[in-house]
Amino acid sequence: MSKPVFKRVVLKISGEALQGRLGYGIDYDILASIAGQIKDVKSLGVDVAVVIGGGNIFRGTSAAGKSIDRANADYMGMLATIINGIALQGALEKIGVHTRVMTAIQMQQLAEPYIRRRAIRHLEKGRVVVFVGGTGNPYFTTDTTAALRASEIGGEVILKATKVDGVYTSDPAKNKNARKYDTLRYIDVLKKGLKVMDATATSLCMDNNLPIIVFNLLKSGNIRRVVLGEKIGTVVKG
Ligand code: UDP
């Protein structure tokens, strides 16, 4: 297997994956490993767009209701994704990968505003595009952003990078009898309340027939394996 099965992918990296074992912030070894894996996949001729989360720095839902309201807390979460995106750009450019950060929350000194046609043009020119600022709206998540951006830019699949090997019947860290699903239907994710993606993101993928592959990012070379069509992780589709 040496030919990629996808031409354009959207890689969703959660804040949790970025923080590694630190419990907060960015683990720079993991950041460098992710950048290296992206470079490797690009060398196969695949267009790579990244949607980055912010949960390693700030998560709206955990702060909402304390002394700030949900919308403000969510804007803080969106700012956290911008910090992560700038970090990933730094790591990618350090190894010679041309990268553009596009933000849904305007911040012109740091990043380009998100313009769909321009994002597609960057990809056509071989640049990695990192989408930050989520959808730009409170009450959403970066998983929903991944579903939205993939639909907008013609991404064929969402590669959801996590710390586990796929989706399990229960938490494999707590239950040794937990079984991994090889494939799942969107409707099962919704009905069973599986924590693959939130319901908004899953529905958007379902409506647009966009497959999601959930896989372990921390095993080096896994992004390449997925892109080359190796059956790892869990595939969620119609
Ligand atoms: N967020 C938001 N709107 C969006 C995307 C993200 O309000 O369109 C906020 C929300 O508060 C969320 C935070 O940004 O908790 C970080 O994003 P997310 O939780 O999706 O990050 P991840 O879990 O992938 O690290």
Side-chain angles (χ1 to χ4, degrees):
M1 257 189 254
S2 60
K3 252 183 101 203
V5 292
F6 305 111
K7 175 77 192 82
R8 181 169 293 170
V9 301
V10 171
L11 177 66
K12 163 68 211 299
I13 303 171
S14 67
E16 202 183 28
L18 271 184
Q19 77 188 6
R21 275 191 237 117
L22 298 180
Y24 182 82
I26 298 170
D27 179 325
Y28 293 100
D29 291 336
I30 289 183
L31 186 71
S33 145
I34 295 171
Q37 290 197 59
I38 292 174
K39 180 176 183 173
D40 183 36
V41 168
K42 278 245 31 106
S43 72
L44 299 170
V46 178
D47 295 343
V48 182
V50 180
V51 171
I52 202 148
N56 54 325
I57 299 172
F58 197 88
R59 205 179 282 282
T61 42
S62 56
K66 299 220 165 89
S67 54
I68 38 181
D69 65 21
R70 168 80 191 261
N72 281 334
D74 278 342
Y75 279 116
M76 293 166 73
M78 286 181 255
L79 292 178
T81 70
I82 300 178
I83 295 177
N84 286 334
I86 301 291
L88 181 62
Q89 180 178 39
L92 283 165
E93 294 202 325
K94 200 167 181 187
I95 54 170
V97 181
H98 295 292
T99 307
R100 294 289 185 276
V101 179
M102 302 193 101
T103 176
I105 305 262
Q106 290 221 21
M107 207 175 273
Q108 58 190 13
Q109 284 82 356
L110 278 182
E112 291 181 17
Y114 171 67
I115 298 169
R116 177 180 159 267
R117 284 171 185 279
R118 189 177 280 177
I120 293 170
R121 192 79 193 110
H122 285 321
L123 291 169
E124 287 169 352
K125 287 193 168 178
R127 297 170 185 140
V128 169
V129 179
V130 181
F131 296 122
V132 301
T135 61
N137 301 288
Y139 299 97
F140 288 97
T141 61
T142 51
D143 280 353
T144 301
T145 311
L148 179 64
R149 295 289 183 251
S151 309
E152 288 182 281
I153 63 163
E156 291 153 85
V157 64
I158 295 180
L159 308 181
K160 187 170 155 73
T162 67
K163 294 202 300 191
V164 282
D165 289 329
V167 185
Y168 283 80
T169 47
S170 60
D171 186 348
K174 292 181 190 150
N175 179 2
K176 67 174 173 31
N177 295 323
R179 209 170 38 80
K180 181 165 83 68
Y181 293 104
D182 290 330
T183 55
L184 271 169
R185 292 180 311 157
Y186 303 109
I187 199 74
D188 296 324
V189 173
L190 294 170
K191 272 195 196 150
K192 294 186 179 103
L194 296 170
K195 292 188 182 72
V196 180
M197 278 189 154
D198 58 89
T200 313
T202 308
S203 315
L204 200 52
C205 289
M206 184 163 78
D207 289 349
N208 291 295
N209 226 346
L210 194 61
I212 308 156
I213 303 179
V214 184
F215 70 101
N216 190 341
L217 175 75
L218 303 181
K219 286 192 187 146
S220 189
N222 259 0
I223 309 181
R224 165 185 268 264
R225 286 186 194 102
V226 174
V227 165
L228 290 178
E230 229 179 272
K231 300 269 173 285
I232 58 167
T234 301
V235 185
V236 185
K237 53 188 185 179

